[in-house]
PDB file of all heavy atoms in Angstrom:
ATOM      1  N   MET A   1     -14.650 -12.209   3.795  1.00 60.00           N
ATOM      2  CA  MET A   1     -14.222 -12.599   5.154  1.00 60.00           C
ATOM      3  C   MET A   1     -14.962 -11.749   6.183  1.00 60.00           C
ATOM      4  O   MET A   1     -15.102 -10.557   6.033  1.00 60.00           O
ATOM      5  CB  MET A   1     -12.709 -12.413   5.282  1.00 60.00           C
ATOM      6  CG  MET A   1     -12.168 -12.965   6.570  1.00 60.00           C
ATOM      7  SD  MET A   1     -10.359 -13.066   6.628  1.00 60.00           S
ATOM      8  CE  MET A   1      -9.822 -11.617   5.751  1.00 60.00           C
ATOM      9  N   VAL A   3     -15.458 -10.086   9.940  1.00 85.00           N
ATOM     10  CA  VAL A   3     -14.511  -9.477  10.883  1.00 85.00           C
ATOM     11  C   VAL A   3     -14.285 -10.333  12.117  1.00 85.00           C
ATOM     12  O   VAL A   3     -13.173 -10.453  12.617  1.00 85.00           O
ATOM     13  CB  VAL A   3     -15.014  -8.100  11.354  1.00 85.00           C
ATOM     14  CG1 VAL A   3     -14.015  -7.470  12.288  1.00 85.00           C
ATOM     15  CG2 VAL A   3     -15.252  -7.221  10.173  1.00 85.00           C
ATOM     16  N   ARG A   6     -12.017 -13.003  11.179  1.00 89.00           N
ATOM     17  CA  ARG A   6     -10.684 -12.464  10.957  1.00 89.00           C
ATOM     18  C   ARG A   6      -9.978 -12.195  12.282  1.00 89.00           C
ATOM     19  O   ARG A   6      -8.832 -12.581  12.476  1.00 89.00           O
ATOM     20  CB  ARG A   6     -10.778 -11.155  10.157  1.00 89.00           C
ATOM     21  CG  ARG A   6      -9.433 -10.601   9.765  1.00 89.00           C
ATOM     22  CD  ARG A   6      -9.514  -9.138   9.372  1.00 89.00           C
ATOM     23  NE  ARG A   6      -9.767  -8.290  10.526  1.00 89.00           N
ATOM     24  CZ  ARG A   6      -9.851  -6.966  10.447  1.00 89.00           C
ATOM     25  NH1 ARG A   6      -9.746  -6.360   9.285  1.00 89.00           N
ATOM     26  NH2 ARG A   6     -10.061  -6.241  11.533  1.00 89.00           N
ATOM     27  N   PHE A 210       9.182  -0.064  11.688  1.00 92.00           N
ATOM     28  CA  PHE A 210       8.934   1.354  11.411  1.00 92.00           C
ATOM     29  C   PHE A 210       8.268   1.541  10.041  1.00 92.00           C
ATOM     30  O   PHE A 210       7.789   2.621   9.729  1.00 92.00           O
ATOM     31  CB  PHE A 210      10.237   2.145  11.435  1.00 92.00           C
ATOM     32  CG  PHE A 210      10.843   2.252  12.800  1.00 92.00           C
ATOM     33  CD1 PHE A 210      11.760   1.328  13.250  1.00 92.00           C
ATOM     34  CD2 PHE A 210      10.473   3.286  13.646  1.00 92.00           C
ATOM     35  CE1 PHE A 210      12.301   1.419  14.526  1.00 92.00           C
ATOM     36  CE2 PHE A 210      11.006   3.384  14.913  1.00 92.00           C
ATOM     37  CZ  PHE A 210      11.918   2.449  15.359  1.00 92.00           C
ATOM     38  N   ARG A 213       3.579   1.677   9.264  1.00 92.00           N
ATOM     39  CA  ARG A 213       2.666   2.790   9.010  1.00 92.00           C
ATOM     40  C   ARG A 213       2.714   3.226   7.540  1.00 92.00           C
ATOM     41  O   ARG A 213       1.673   3.412   6.908  1.00 92.00           O
ATOM     42  CB  ARG A 213       3.016   3.972   9.915  1.00 92.00           C
ATOM     43  CG  ARG A 213       2.059   5.122   9.786  1.00 92.00           C
ATOM     44  CD  ARG A 213       2.550   6.296  10.574  1.00 92.00           C
ATOM     45  NE  ARG A 213       2.376   6.129  11.997  1.00 92.00           N
ATOM     46  CZ  ARG A 213       1.275   6.519  12.656  1.00 92.00           C
ATOM     47  NH1 ARG A 213       0.301   7.071  12.000  1.00 92.00           N
ATOM     48  NH2 ARG A 213       1.180   6.347  13.945  1.00 92.00           N
ATOM     49  N   ASN A 216       1.049   0.633   5.284  1.00 93.00           N
ATOM     50  CA  ASN A 216      -0.408   0.693   5.397  1.00 93.00           C
ATOM     51  C   ASN A 216      -0.984   1.881   4.645  1.00 93.00           C
ATOM     52  O   ASN A 216      -2.007   1.772   3.981  1.00 93.00           O
ATOM     53  CB  ASN A 216      -0.825   0.767   6.869  1.00 93.00           C
ATOM     54  CG  ASN A 216      -1.086  -0.610   7.446  1.00 93.00           C
ATOM     55  OD1 ASN A 216      -1.308  -1.560   6.705  1.00 93.00           O
ATOM     56  ND2 ASN A 216      -1.051  -0.715   8.752  1.00 93.00           N
ATOM     57  N   GLU A 223      -3.164   8.140  -4.381  1.00 90.00           N
ATOM     58  CA  GLU A 223      -3.907   9.390  -4.207  1.00 90.00           C
ATOM     59  C   GLU A 223      -4.316   9.582  -2.759  1.00 90.00           C
ATOM     60  O   GLU A 223      -4.073  10.638  -2.174  1.00 90.00           O
ATOM     61  CB  GLU A 223      -5.169   9.385  -5.080  1.00 90.00           C
ATOM     62  CG  GLU A 223      -4.922   9.904  -6.460  1.00 90.00           C
ATOM     63  CD  GLU A 223      -6.219  10.293  -7.171  1.00 90.00           C
ATOM     64  OE1 GLU A 223      -7.313  10.145  -6.596  1.00 90.00           O
ATOM     65  OE2 GLU A 223      -6.103  10.733  -8.333  1.00 90.00           O
ATOM     66  N   LYS A 226      -1.375  10.393  -0.517  1.00 94.00           N
ATOM     67  CA  LYS A 226      -0.934  11.785  -0.693  1.00 94.00           C
ATOM     68  C   LYS A 226      -1.879  12.746   0.005  1.00 94.00           C
ATOM     69  O   LYS A 226      -1.469  13.693   0.656  1.00 94.00           O
ATOM     70  CB  LYS A 226      -0.897  12.141  -2.178  1.00 94.00           C
ATOM     71  CG  LYS A 226       0.484  12.015  -2.786  1.00 94.00           C
ATOM     72  CD  LYS A 226       0.473  12.498  -4.225  1.00 94.00           C
ATOM     73  CE  LYS A 226       1.603  11.820  -4.962  1.00 94.00           C
ATOM     74  NZ  LYS A 226       1.471  11.872  -6.403  1.00 94.00           N
ATOM     75  N   LEU A 227      -3.181  12.482  -0.142  1.00 96.00           N
ATOM     76  CA  LEU A 227      -4.173  13.367   0.467  1.00 96.00           C
ATOM     77  C   LEU A 227      -4.079  13.336   1.987  1.00 96.00           C
ATOM     78  O   LEU A 227      -4.488  14.267   2.659  1.00 96.00           O
ATOM     79  CB  LEU A 227      -5.582  12.958   0.029  1.00 96.00           C
ATOM     80  CG  LEU A 227      -5.900  13.247  -1.439  1.00 96.00           C
ATOM     81  CD1 LEU A 227      -7.170  12.550  -1.865  1.00 96.00           C
ATOM     82  CD2 LEU A 227      -6.008  14.745  -1.666  1.00 96.00           C
ATOM     83  N   LEU A 228      -3.527  12.251   2.527  1.00 96.00           N
ATOM     84  CA  LEU A 228      -3.369  12.166   3.981  1.00 96.00           C
ATOM     85  C   LEU A 228      -1.999  12.674   4.409  1.00 96.00           C
ATOM     86  O   LEU A 228      -1.572  12.461   5.537  1.00 96.00           O
ATOM     87  CB  LEU A 228      -3.581  10.724   4.445  1.00 96.00           C
ATOM     88  CG  LEU A 228      -5.032  10.243   4.300  1.00 96.00           C
ATOM     89  CD1 LEU A 228      -5.141   8.758   4.496  1.00 96.00           C
ATOM     90  CD2 LEU A 228      -5.930  10.974   5.291  1.00 96.00           C
ATOM     91  N   GLY A 229      -1.306  13.335   3.489  1.00 95.00           N
ATOM     92  CA  GLY A 229      -0.066  14.013   3.854  1.00 95.00           C
ATOM     93  C   GLY A 229       1.179  13.149   3.768  1.00 95.00           C
ATOM     94  O   GLY A 229       2.230  13.525   4.252  1.00 95.00           O
ATOM     95  N   LYS A 231       4.378  11.554   1.934  1.00 91.00           N
ATOM     96  CA  LYS A 231       5.232  11.784   0.768  1.00 91.00           C
ATOM     97  C   LYS A 231       5.418  10.427   0.087  1.00 91.00           C
ATOM     98  O   LYS A 231       6.311   9.651   0.408  1.00 91.00           O
ATOM     99  CB  LYS A 231       6.577  12.361   1.189  1.00 91.00           C
ATOM    100  CG  LYS A 231       6.479  13.740   1.808  1.00 91.00           C
ATOM    101  CD  LYS A 231       7.873  14.340   1.973  1.00 91.00           C
ATOM    102  CE  LYS A 231       7.793  15.722   2.563  1.00 91.00           C
ATOM    103  NZ  LYS A 231       7.590  15.700   4.028  1.00 91.00           N
ATOM    104  N   HIS A 235       8.433   7.492   0.515  1.00 90.00           N
ATOM    105  CA  HIS A 235       8.169   6.284   1.305  1.00 90.00           C
ATOM    106  C   HIS A 235       8.301   5.028   0.462  1.00 90.00           C
ATOM    107  O   HIS A 235       8.788   4.009   0.925  1.00 90.00           O
ATOM    108  CB  HIS A 235       6.783   6.364   1.952  1.00 90.00           C
ATOM    109  CG  HIS A 235       6.767   7.282   3.136  1.00 90.00           C
ATOM    110  ND1 HIS A 235       6.770   6.835   4.420  1.00 90.00           N
ATOM    111  CD2 HIS A 235       6.822   8.625   3.205  1.00 90.00           C
ATOM    112  CE1 HIS A 235       6.794   7.864   5.238  1.00 90.00           C
ATOM    113  NE2 HIS A 235       6.822   8.968   4.522  1.00 90.00           N
ATOM    114  N   GLU A 274      -5.025  -7.642   5.119  1.00 88.00           N
ATOM    115  CA  GLU A 274      -3.852  -6.977   4.555  1.00 88.00           C
ATOM    116  C   GLU A 274      -3.210  -5.929   5.465  1.00 88.00           C
ATOM    117  O   GLU A 274      -2.279  -5.250   5.065  1.00 88.00           O
ATOM    118  CB  GLU A 274      -4.190  -6.369   3.193  1.00 88.00           C
ATOM    119  CG  GLU A 274      -5.604  -5.858   3.065  1.00 88.00           C
ATOM    120  CD  GLU A 274      -6.002  -5.631   1.588  1.00 88.00           C
ATOM    121  OE1 GLU A 274      -5.113  -5.404   0.767  1.00 88.00           O
ATOM    122  OE2 GLU A 274      -7.194  -5.655   1.304  1.00 88.00           O
TER     123      GLU A 274
ATOM    124  N   LYS B  46      -8.211  18.208  -8.353  1.00 97.00           N
ATOM    125  CA  LYS B  46      -6.964  17.529  -7.976  1.00 97.00           C
ATOM    126  C   LYS B  46      -5.801  18.502  -7.912  1.00 97.00           C
ATOM    127  O   LYS B  46      -4.889  18.327  -7.103  1.00 97.00           O
ATOM    128  CB  LYS B  46      -6.644  16.426  -8.991  1.00 97.00           C
ATOM    129  CG  LYS B  46      -7.507  15.190  -8.845  1.00 97.00           C
ATOM    130  CD  LYS B  46      -7.108  14.175  -9.878  1.00 97.00           C
ATOM    131  CE  LYS B  46      -8.016  12.951  -9.828  1.00 97.00           C
ATOM    132  NZ  LYS B  46      -7.749  12.061 -10.956  1.00 97.00           N
ATOM    133  N   ALA B  75      -2.476  18.662   4.602  1.00 97.00           N
ATOM    134  CA  ALA B  75      -3.547  17.684   4.797  1.00 97.00           C
ATOM    135  C   ALA B  75      -4.414  18.016   6.008  1.00 97.00           C
ATOM    136  O   ALA B  75      -5.515  17.497   6.148  1.00 97.00           O
ATOM    137  CB  ALA B  75      -2.972  16.271   4.930  1.00 97.00           C
ATOM    138  N   PRO B  82     -11.552  11.372  -3.039  1.00 95.00           N
ATOM    139  CA  PRO B  82     -11.364  11.118  -4.465  1.00 95.00           C
ATOM    140  C   PRO B  82     -12.570  10.400  -5.055  1.00 95.00           C
ATOM    141  O   PRO B  82     -13.467   9.980  -4.329  1.00 95.00           O
ATOM    142  CB  PRO B  82     -10.127  10.204  -4.523  1.00 95.00           C
ATOM    143  CG  PRO B  82      -9.626  10.083  -3.134  1.00 95.00           C
ATOM    144  CD  PRO B  82     -10.723  10.507  -2.213  1.00 95.00           C
ATOM    145  N   GLN B  86     -11.589   4.735  -7.304  1.00 76.00           N
ATOM    146  CA  GLN B  86     -10.352   4.347  -6.616  1.00 76.00           C
ATOM    147  C   GLN B  86     -10.730   3.379  -5.496  1.00 76.00           C
ATOM    148  O   GLN B  86     -11.485   3.740  -4.610  1.00 76.00           O
ATOM    149  CB  GLN B  86      -9.674   5.564  -5.967  1.00 76.00           C
ATOM    150  CG  GLN B  86      -9.546   6.768  -6.858  1.00 76.00           C
ATOM    151  CD  GLN B  86      -8.368   6.664  -7.788  1.00 76.00           C
ATOM    152  OE1 GLN B  86      -7.536   5.766  -7.638  1.00 76.00           O
ATOM    153  NE2 GLN B  86      -8.290   7.541  -8.763  1.00 76.00           N
ATOM    154  N   ASN B  90      -9.661  -3.756   2.047  1.00 89.00           N
ATOM    155  CA  ASN B  90     -10.787  -4.344   2.758  1.00 89.00           C
ATOM    156  C   ASN B  90     -10.565  -4.374   4.269  1.00 89.00           C
ATOM    157  O   ASN B  90     -10.430  -5.424   4.872  1.00 89.00           O
ATOM    158  CB  ASN B  90     -11.030  -5.750   2.219  1.00 89.00           C
ATOM    159  CG  ASN B  90     -12.411  -6.252   2.579  1.00 89.00           C
ATOM    160  OD1 ASN B  90     -13.291  -5.450   2.918  1.00 89.00           O
ATOM    161  ND2 ASN B  90     -12.597  -7.554   2.539  1.00 89.00           N
ATOM    162  N   GLU B  95     -11.343   0.997  11.095  1.00 94.00           N
ATOM    163  CA  GLU B  95      -9.911   0.987  10.771  1.00 94.00           C
ATOM    164  C   GLU B  95      -9.608   1.950   9.625  1.00 94.00           C
ATOM    165  O   GLU B  95      -8.650   2.722   9.662  1.00 94.00           O
ATOM    166  CB  GLU B  95      -9.469  -0.435  10.369  1.00 94.00           C
ATOM    167  CG  GLU B  95      -9.374  -1.414  11.521  1.00 94.00           C
ATOM    168  CD  GLU B  95      -9.232  -2.875  11.084  1.00 94.00           C
ATOM    169  OE1 GLU B  95      -9.501  -3.196   9.912  1.00 94.00           O
ATOM    170  OE2 GLU B  95      -8.876  -3.689  11.930  1.00 94.00           O
ATOM    171  N   TYR B  99      -7.516   6.175   9.436  1.00 95.00           N
ATOM    172  CA  TYR B  99      -6.392   6.703   8.657  1.00 95.00           C
ATOM    173  C   TYR B  99      -6.515   8.203   8.399  1.00 95.00           C
ATOM    174  O   TYR B  99      -5.543   8.858   8.074  1.00 95.00           O
ATOM    175  CB  TYR B  99      -6.238   5.955   7.335  1.00 95.00           C
ATOM    176  CG  TYR B  99      -5.582   4.612   7.523  1.00 95.00           C
ATOM    177  CD1 TYR B  99      -6.297   3.435   7.399  1.00 95.00           C
ATOM    178  CD2 TYR B  99      -4.238   4.547   7.859  1.00 95.00           C
ATOM    179  CE1 TYR B  99      -5.698   2.219   7.612  1.00 95.00           C
ATOM    180  CE2 TYR B  99      -3.631   3.333   8.068  1.00 95.00           C
ATOM    181  CZ  TYR B  99      -4.362   2.165   7.943  1.00 95.00           C
ATOM    182  OH  TYR B  99      -3.756   0.968   8.164  1.00 95.00           O
ATOM    183  N   PRO B 103      -2.473  12.668   9.128  1.00 95.00           N
ATOM    184  CA  PRO B 103      -1.745  13.947   9.054  1.00 95.00           C
ATOM    185  C   PRO B 103      -1.343  14.499  10.427  1.00 95.00           C
ATOM    186  O   PRO B 103      -0.500  15.385  10.496  1.00 95.00           O
ATOM    187  CB  PRO B 103      -2.750  14.891   8.382  1.00 95.00           C
ATOM    188  CG  PRO B 103      -3.736  14.022   7.712  1.00 95.00           C
ATOM    189  CD  PRO B 103      -3.777  12.742   8.481  1.00 95.00           C
ATOM    190  N   SER B 106       3.138  11.251  13.669  1.00 83.00           N
ATOM    191  CA  SER B 106       4.455  10.976  13.121  1.00 83.00           C
ATOM    192  C   SER B 106       4.562   9.467  12.938  1.00 83.00           C
ATOM    193  O   SER B 106       3.595   8.735  13.076  1.00 83.00           O
ATOM    194  CB  SER B 106       5.530  11.477  14.070  1.00 83.00           C
ATOM    195  OG  SER B 106       5.513  10.687  15.237  1.00 83.00           O
ATOM    196  N   TRP B 107       5.760   8.979  12.655  1.00 69.00           N
ATOM    197  CA  TRP B 107       5.954   7.557  12.370  1.00 69.00           C
ATOM    198  C   TRP B 107       5.573   6.676  13.541  1.00 69.00           C
ATOM    199  O   TRP B 107       5.138   5.557  13.372  1.00 69.00           O
ATOM    200  CB  TRP B 107       7.415   7.291  12.017  1.00 69.00           C
ATOM    201  CG  TRP B 107       7.747   7.715  10.646  1.00 69.00           C
ATOM    202  CD1 TRP B 107       7.395   8.888  10.050  1.00 69.00           C
ATOM    203  CD2 TRP B 107       8.464   6.965   9.670  1.00 69.00           C
ATOM    204  NE1 TRP B 107       7.859   8.912   8.773  1.00 69.00           N
ATOM    205  CE2 TRP B 107       8.530   7.757   8.521  1.00 69.00           C
ATOM    206  CE3 TRP B 107       9.068   5.709   9.688  1.00 69.00           C
ATOM    207  CZ2 TRP B 107       9.165   7.323   7.372  1.00 69.00           C
ATOM    208  CZ3 TRP B 107       9.707   5.287   8.548  1.00 69.00           C
ATOM    209  CH2 TRP B 107       9.754   6.081   7.393  1.00 69.00           C
ATOM    210  N   SER B 109       3.828   7.730  16.690  1.00 72.00           N
ATOM    211  CA  SER B 109       2.788   8.017  17.676  1.00 72.00           C
ATOM    212  C   SER B 109       1.551   7.159  17.418  1.00 72.00           C
ATOM    213  O   SER B 109       1.239   6.780  16.297  1.00 72.00           O
ATOM    214  CB  SER B 109       2.429   9.492  17.639  1.00 72.00           C
ATOM    215  OG  SER B 109       2.014   9.861  16.350  1.00 72.00           O
ATOM    216  N   ASP B 133     -17.747  -2.043  12.613  1.00 93.00           N
ATOM    217  CA  ASP B 133     -16.933  -3.260  12.566  1.00 93.00           C
ATOM    218  C   ASP B 133     -17.170  -4.101  11.322  1.00 93.00           C
ATOM    219  O   ASP B 133     -16.768  -5.250  11.261  1.00 93.00           O
ATOM    220  CB  ASP B 133     -17.199  -4.115  13.814  1.00 93.00           C
ATOM    221  CG  ASP B 133     -16.562  -3.496  15.037  1.00 93.00           C
ATOM    222  OD1 ASP B 133     -15.492  -2.872  14.876  1.00 93.00           O
ATOM    223  OD2 ASP B 133     -17.136  -3.600  16.130  1.00 93.00           O
ATOM    224  N   LEU B 135     -16.579  -4.987   7.279  1.00 93.00           N
ATOM    225  CA  LEU B 135     -15.512  -4.803   6.304  1.00 93.00           C
ATOM    226  C   LEU B 135     -16.007  -3.946   5.142  1.00 93.00           C
ATOM    227  O   LEU B 135     -17.143  -4.086   4.693  1.00 93.00           O
ATOM    228  CB  LEU B 135     -15.014  -6.166   5.794  1.00 93.00           C
ATOM    229  CG  LEU B 135     -14.181  -6.947   6.814  1.00 93.00           C
ATOM    230  CD1 LEU B 135     -13.938  -8.372   6.347  1.00 93.00           C
ATOM    231  CD2 LEU B 135     -12.854  -6.259   7.075  1.00 93.00           C
ATOM    232  N   GLN B 155     -10.007  14.114   8.899  1.00 97.00           N
ATOM    233  CA  GLN B 155      -8.831  14.991   8.790  1.00 97.00           C
ATOM    234  C   GLN B 155      -9.087  16.350   9.450  1.00 97.00           C
ATOM    235  O   GLN B 155      -8.160  17.134   9.611  1.00 97.00           O
ATOM    236  CB  GLN B 155      -8.463  15.202   7.312  1.00 97.00           C
ATOM    237  CG  GLN B 155      -7.684  14.050   6.712  1.00 97.00           C
ATOM    238  CD  GLN B 155      -7.467  14.223   5.212  1.00 97.00           C
ATOM    239  OE1 GLN B 155      -8.091  13.554   4.411  1.00 97.00           O
ATOM    240  NE2 GLN B 155      -6.572  15.110   4.831  1.00 97.00           N
TER     241      GLN B 155
END
Side-chain angles (χ1 to χ4, degrees):
Chain A
M1 188 169 37
V3 182
R6 186 198 71 178
F210 291 92
R213 184 187 286 270
N216 268 340
E223 272 197 359
K226 263 185 205 163
L227 290 168
L228 291 168
K231 295 190 179 79
H235 284 257
E274 34 196 334
Chain B
K46 285 180 184 172
Q86 312 279 350
N90 198 19
E95 287 168 344
Y99 283 108
S106 68
W107 283 45
S109 57
D133 287 327
L135 287 170
Q155 280 174 254

